Amino acid sequence: MADSTSLIVNKETKGGWNAAVFIMVVEMTERFAFYGLASNLMTYLTNELGQSTATAAKHINTWLGVSYLFPILGAFLADSILGRFKTVLLSSFVYLLGMVMLPLSVTVVAPRLREEAFFTALYVMAVGEGGHKPCVMTFAADQFGEASAEEKATKTSFFNYWYLSIVLGSSIAVLALIFIQERVSWSAGFSVIAGSVGIAVVIFLIGIPRYRKQVPVGSPLTRVAQVIVAASKKWRLSTTSPHYGICYEEGTEEDKSLESTNAHLLARTNQFRFLDKATIIDEIDNTSNKSRNPWRLCSVNQVEEVKLILRLVPIWISLIMFCATLTQLNTFFLKQGSMMNRTIGDHFTIPPAAFQSVVGVTILIFIPLYDRVFVPSVRKITNHHSGITSLQRIGLGLFIATFNMVVCGFVEAKRLRVARDHGLIDSPKVVVPMSSLWLLPQYILVGIGDVFTIVGMQELFYDQMPETMRSIGAAIFMSVVGVGSFVSTGIISAVQTISKGHGEEWLVNNLNRAHLDYFYWVIALLNAVSLCFYLLMANRFVYKKVQDKGGDAVEGEREE
């Protein structure tokens, strides 16, 4: 059994938009349910279950942390044992079970057991998320081929509209479900969530005849370990020595099946040359009467798979600060808005959280513009199927995020001046007479930055991972969001400690006496440093190269 994942493909009847649209609807519905629960979970835990703010926050963080840990396990199972289709199907049923348990915990369960039942439902959902999150996007992307520039362009459009469907689902949830939960009842809100997931499962089942499916054929992580071990055993040998040969063909029965699948063979590259030692055929390999020992001799293709993963590591590191910046959307942005004038007319007041919908609306507008206007226009100049490469797209988003934090700092500095001018420094509960519309630019810039960076990240970590490990690639992409959240917490703690040590703490409860503007500028500076590191790594990045039928190397993306 090979350590690869093969695609069962029939281009006449399988895959394409006719299949992907079913999966996109499923993901949109799932995001609707997830954000409909997560966005208002703090209110339920504190108001309905009677938990303190600190306790509720810890429970939410723990639940989210588990939800982002399980995708690593789910991705491994998908790529090595179950395949992405079966993993999505099974995890969807587990996720639906958790969702059904939510309204039951509010209505059927006795009050004294309600809290335990509710958290049981949450963690059943977390298990379902573990299989769903890393696999559903890669399974949808698998519906598109990569054999021609036209197919690659279609796949790029897919990633744009995939993110668009996620934003659409989450935006509807923020605007609609919160109203149902608070104005009607929590049981009604949770029932709507459970019903939406049930509909999603039915839609996914209807699309089964249209899907291209993967056959799991062993652990891809074993292939990685084999390359490292084999290279270590031959660390004294040289790949340029005329006395040794190079293993180009898959030698074991497990590896040979790769050639019979639609997985592309990778061309040899010059990065991480130490790993090339694993391909050297020495005296021991030549004298062996048995089939080659995969822990001592690996093919060029297997070595290049490991190189693909290593190339993504510095890119992953350079994106942590961007994800740390995104956390400000749900924290200090809201606190800012709560202290500014949010009234429209004489009676209507905009809730601070409602400004998050601006991000969603911005994305809904800009993704079609990006796909239908920006890409075709730039494609005429660059001759690149996506207009610009994934790395260039991410880089633009990182620059926008850095610029945005500078803008945030200036807006907050103006708010502080208005508070001082009106004598409100020690009156944190009094609304500062400054329109909250001043916050619109920073919310809009968050949306524009996401169109470039988030979608670019999804595409990069799908396209540049080995075809046998694309679910794991999606899990790695998601993990940077979790790490960014932890980094943001660390930055806040460091800023508090350092500023307090110099006599004036920047982040106090009274924002009128705080220096949130300084904090934003620190974030901007860290983003700028991270952007410079990213540009250095991106400039050295070598895109995946595959062999055509003649054995020549063909780049997956051009760097220029």
Side-chain angles (χ1 to χ4, degrees):
M1 184 174 289
D3 292 329
S4 63
T5 301
S6 63
L7 279 174
I8 301 175
V9 180
N10 182 339
K11 288 189 177 181
E12 297 297 328
T13 59
K14 302 286 187 178
W17 282 111
N18 288 334
V21 68
F22 285 89
I23 310 172
M24 292 175 69
V25 172
V26 169
E27 176 65 1
M28 182 176 71
T29 308
E30 190 276 337
R31 290 294 90 187
F32 170 83
F34 181 83
Y35 284 104
L37 173 64
S39 61
N40 212 23
L41 189 55
M42 175 69 80
T43 303
Y44 180 78
L45 295 181
T46 53
N47 294 354
E48 301 299 319
L49 296 185
Q51 295 185 351
S52 68
T53 301
T55 300
K58 291 177 182 178
H59 282 151
I60 293 172
N61 289 334
T62 302
W63 172 62
L64 290 175
V66 172
S67 296
Y68 279 98
L69 276 176
F70 267 108
I72 298 176
L73 176 61
F76 176 79
L77 292 175
D79 283 341
S80 60
I81 300 174
L82 296 176
R84 288 189 269 275
F85 168 72
K86 289 183 179 179
T87 303
V88 173
L89 183 61
L90 292 176
S91 63
S92 295
F93 279 109
V94 175
Y95 192 69
L96 175 60
L97 174 62
M99 283 293 184
V100 170
M101 293 170 64
L102 283 179
L104 294 179
S105 70
V106 177
T107 57
V108 177
V109 178
R112 60 187 179 85
L113 299 175
R114 188 161 294 174
E115 183 172 330
E116 290 80 0
F118 182 78
F119 278 103
T120 300
L122 285 184
Y123 284 98
V124 170
M125 288 171 51
V127 174
E129 282 278 284
H132 185 91
K133 279 184 177 178
C135 299
V136 68
M137 183 193 72
T138 51
F139 180 60
D142 286 340
Q143 307 307 310
F144 301 95
E146 299 177 345
S148 66
E150 181 181 355
E151 289 180 323
K152 291 179 180 178
T154 302
K155 181 167 284 189
T156 297
S157 294
F158 158 75
F159 282 107
N160 290 328
Y161 287 104
W162 178 262
Y163 191 57
L164 185 71
S165 67
I166 292 176
V167 172
L168 182 60
S170 59
S171 298
I172 295 173
V174 170
L175 294 175
L177 277 178
I178 292 177
F179 175 83
I180 296 174
Q181 291 166 352
E182 295 190 3
R183 300 294 179 89
V184 182
S185 69
W186 287 97
S187 61
F190 292 155
S191 296
V192 171
I193 291 174
S196 66
V197 175
I199 294 172
V201 172
V202 172
I203 294 173
F204 186 74
L205 294 174
I206 293 174
I208 287 178
R210 301 171 180 263
Y211 301 145
R212 298 179 182 178
K213 303 168 188 175
Q214 305 79 25
V215 179
V217 282
S219 170
L221 296 183
T222 301
R223 292 173 67 85
V224 176
Q226 287 172 343
V227 170
I228 296 173
V229 171
S232 300
K233 288 180 178 179
K234 298 177 179 177
W235 67 276
R236 293 178 180 272
L237 304 183
S238 173
T239 55
T240 59
S241 173
H243 303 292
Y244 303 122
I246 300 297
C247 179
Y248 286 96
E249 296 183 357
E250 306 287 359
T252 67
E253 290 300 321
E254 294 182 349
D255 296 334
K256 285 179 180 178
S257 66
L258 182 66
E259 297 180 357
S260 64
T261 71
N262 292 289
H264 297 91
L265 292 177
L266 300 173
R268 194 173 184 181
T269 59
N270 294 323
Q271 282 188 320
F272 308 111
R273 293 184 179 180
F274 170 78
L275 296 178
D276 290 337
K277 295 179 184 292
T279 66
I280 297 176
I281 304 174
D282 62 6
E283 295 85 354
I284 298 177
D285 298 316
N286 277 323
T287 57
S288 176
N289 295 324
K290 301 178 181 180
S291 60
R292 73 170 172 87
N293 180 0
W295 295 93
R296 201 177 192 287
L297 179 62
C298 303
S299 68
V300 170
N301 187 76
Q302 187 174 345
V303 170
E304 290 301 323
E305 287 180 348
V306 179
K307 290 183 180 181
L308 288 178
I309 299 171
L310 293 179
R311 290 186 192 116
L312 289 172
V313 172
I315 300 297
W316 185 91
I317 294 173
S318 65
L319 293 171
I320 292 176
M321 197 58 224
F322 169 79
C323 294
T325 302
L326 289 181
T327 62
Q328 313 312 317
L329 181 67
N330 298 314
T331 54
F332 292 115
F333 279 23
L334 294 182
K335 188 68 174 177
Q336 262 185 303
S338 66
M339 302 186 70
M340 299 171 71
N341 182 13
R342 293 173 282 110
T343 59
I344 296 179
D346 297 329
H347 303 289
F348 184 74
T349 301
I350 305 173
F355 281 98
Q356 294 184 51
S357 62
V358 175
V359 177
V361 171
T362 301
I363 294 172
L364 293 174
I365 294 173
F366 270 82
I367 281 186
L369 288 176
Y370 181 93
D371 191 64
R372 298 300 180 184
V373 179
F374 179 83
V375 171
S377 300
V378 177
R379 185 186 293 148
K380 296 177 181 178
I381 301 174
T382 63
N383 291 323
H384 190 277
H385 62 84
S386 299
I388 56 178
T389 66
S390 300
L391 289 174
Q392 290 168 340
R393 182 171 186 169
I394 294 172
L396 284 173
L398 296 181
F399 173 79
I400 292 171
T402 303
F403 175 73
N404 189 26
M405 295 315 297
V406 176
V407 172
C408 292
F410 281 117
V411 172
E412 175 61 13
K414 177 177 176 58
R415 192 194 67 80
L416 290 175
R417 286 196 301 271
V418 174
R420 283 195 297 267
D421 293 343
H422 289 80
L424 300 176
I425 294 297
D426 295 312
S427 303
K429 295 185 179 181
V430 179
V431 174
V432 175
M434 176 179 169
S435 174
S436 57
L437 296 180
W438 279 88
L439 298 176
L440 287 181
Q442 62 198 57
Y443 280 98
I444 292 173
L445 286 173
V446 168
I448 297 175
D450 282 1
V451 169
F452 283 94
T453 303
I454 297 295
V455 181
M457 289 167 62
Q458 290 177 339
E459 185 173 7
L460 182 74
F461 280 87
Y462 174 87
D463 183 65
Q464 296 302 310
M465 283 292 287
E467 293 182 34
T468 61
M469 299 180 66
R470 280 175 166 169
S471 295
I472 293 177
I476 294 173
F477 152 68
M478 294 171 190
S479 69
V480 72
V481 179
V483 174
S485 298
F486 289 119
V487 169
S488 177
T489 301
I491 294 172
I492 292 172
S493 299
V495 166
Q496 285 179 309
T497 301
I498 295 173
S499 61
K500 188 175 182 180
H502 287 76
E504 187 178 17
E505 189 173 348
W506 288 2
L507 302 176
V508 294
N509 288 333
N510 180 4
L511 279 192
N512 293 337
R513 281 200 170 274
H515 282 290
L516 186 58
D517 51 344
Y518 295 171
F519 174 75
Y520 283 151
W521 288 330
V522 167
I523 297 293
L525 177 61
L526 293 175
N527 265 302
V529 173
S530 181
L531 175 59
C532 291
F533 176 70
Y534 172 83
L535 292 175
L536 178 63
M537 294 299 101
N539 188 53
R540 298 183 176 186
F541 189 85
V542 177
Y543 282 103
K544 179 195 294 185
K545 296 181 180 180
V546 298
Q547 296 181 13
D548 61 14
K549 294 182 179 180
D552 297 324
V554 180
E555 289 195 25
E557 287 206 54
R558 291 187 297 276
E559 297 177 67
E560 60 272 16

